[in-house]
Amino acid sequence: NLGDWSSEVCSSDLPWRSHATMGVDDAGRIGRESVVEARKEGRRAVLAILGGDGTTHELLNGLLLDKSGGLEDNSAADLIIL
């Protein structure tokens, strides 16, 4: 149940941040930065996205493609699409 899961996460001591996208590729940039930060801290990034097709597409491209368009290794990230 999503309500139970979100209540558990929001009431826990897990660190979390909220980001709003305001322009082109914001979701991809935020996703990439979150994964890099998590790796530096030795943890997995858990990214929950609440948005439309475009925002989801940007985030996926940001996580999966490197700057040259090749595949990126972002195995340190879990993605939840709401």
Side-chain angles (χ1 to χ4, degrees):
N1 179 319
L2 181 59
D4 294 341
W5 175 85
S6 63
S7 295
E8 182 71 23
V9 170
C10 292
S11 66
S12 74
D13 292 334
L14 294 174
W16 63 276
R17 291 185 194 93
S18 173
H19 299 278
T21 58
M22 304 302 254
V24 175
D25 198 38
D26 278 357
R29 178 185 50 76
I30 292 165
R32 285 188 303 274
E33 291 171 356
S34 297
V35 170
V36 168
E37 182 180 321
R39 282 183 176 164
K40 287 180 182 177
E41 296 174 0
R43 60 180 176 79
R44 292 182 68 82
V46 178
L47 306 173
I49 183 168
L50 178 61
D53 292 351
T55 303
T56 302
H57 182 82
E58 280 186 11
L59 177 63
L60 291 173
N61 279 339
L63 293 177
L64 298 175
L65 302 178
D66 63 19
K67 292 181 181 180
S68 67
L71 288 178
E72 182 74 45
D73 175 19
N74 279 312
S75 57
D78 295 316
L79 182 61
I80 301 166
I81 301 173
L82 304 174

